[in-house]
Amino acid sequence: MENKKISVKNLNLFYGEKQALFNIDMDIKENEVTALIGPSGCGKSTFLRTLNRMNDLIDGVKITGEIFIDDNDINKDDDVIKLRTKVGMVFQKPNPFPMSIYDNVAYGPKIHGLKDRKKLDKIVEESLKAAALWDEVKDRLKSPAAGMSGGQQQRLCIARTIAMKPEVILMDEPTSALDPISTMKIEELILSLKENYTIVIVTHNMQQAARISDKTAFFLNGKVVEFDKTDIIFSNPQDMRTEDYITGRFG
């Protein structure tokens, strides 16, 4: 398969004795949006977090199988910080740091040792532009991020992720706490970002998956029931369970 960015092979995940993910195989292509859908508790967020090793932070987690990003087996790589720079994450609730808009975006590069003010200014401007936020905040970069609306805060978190120059952006229900207009802005933003990034998004909103993703994986009870082009999943699913979920018979 051409230009695949992430390749997951026979992935299993256990919380102690309880198995949460079963034999997951998935190739995620570069510069595409891959949506993960399925009922609550079916393993989509757990799977998302395996892609930047966020599950490492939970006691008793055991993972078998392989996850390759650009031919690098991330579970064998000791440099988790490097991995999380390459694979950024945007969470369900906007979580700006208690500092100015500017400092939120500059935070990552500064932590990684960048001191040059001109370079920081450039990264902040480019990241805010890429997150479709620059025009709204360029006159108040020194204001606290806490004063922004929820939708702006979420775009700020995306800008903060972009500032680290990742290659993959993971999004865990990034619009579930937002109003419809902010949601639409984030969706437009995701579509523009895929030109430069590979995006994997967990969403409860099936219309959202249909609108913004190239491929969709339907998760059920820790397994991938079906993974295909989004239009096929939504118009002609091969598995009855996918069809039942999409048509709202359960969920």
Side-chain angles (χ1 to χ4, degrees), residues 61-219:
V61 165
K62 186 177 122 215
I63 293 174
T64 64
E66 298 171 319
I67 302 171
F68 287 94
I69 297 182
D70 294 334
D71 305 324
N72 179 36
D73 185 346
I74 66 169
N75 289 320
K76 292 207 169 75
D77 192 348
D78 294 335
D79 195 345
V80 178
I81 289 165
K82 189 169 145 214
L83 170 67
R84 291 191 191 137
T85 303
K86 186 172 178 171
V87 183
M89 181 128 186
V90 177
F91 295 93
Q92 190 167 356
K93 286 201 171 65
N95 57 344
F97 301 140
M99 47 180 78
S100 72
I101 294 170
Y102 181 98
D103 287 335
N104 261 277
V105 184
Y107 183 82
K110 275 184 180 166
I111 288 254
H112 283 73
L114 184 61
K115 303 258 193 310
D116 184 322
R117 184 67 194 214
K118 276 209 172 99
K119 283 185 182 153
L120 285 170
D121 287 351
K122 186 165 182 270
I123 288 172
V124 169
E125 181 172 342
E126 283 172 356
S127 304
L128 288 168
K129 279 181 172 162
L133 194 55
W134 175 251
D135 289 339
E136 292 167 51
V137 301
K138 62 180 186 221
D139 300 326
R140 55 184 182 114
L141 294 175
K142 293 281 167 261
S143 310
M148 305 167 85
S149 73
Q152 288 176 324
Q153 288 187 7
Q154 192 61 300
R155 280 182 285 147
L156 179 68
C157 294
I158 293 170
R160 192 173 70 195
T161 302
I162 292 170
M164 293 306 297
K165 304 221 175 345
E167 294 171 24
V168 177
I169 301 177
L170 308 178
M171 298 186 166
D172 196 354
E173 296 194 51
T175 62
S176 64
L178 303 179
D179 62 88
I181 290 172
S182 300
T183 295
M184 190 178 79
K185 282 188 173 163
I186 300 265
E187 288 183 5
E188 287 169 358
L189 174 56
I190 289 167
L191 288 171
S192 70
L193 287 174
K194 77 171 183 183
E195 289 174 26
N196 298 307
Y197 307 94
T198 302
I199 297 172
V200 187
I201 178 170
V202 168
T203 177
H204 261 123
N205 180 333
M206 277 185 285
Q207 289 79 18
Q208 181 170 77
R211 283 193 297 264
I212 63 170
S213 68
D214 300 283
K215 300 253 174 55
T216 296
F218 170 52
F219 277 73

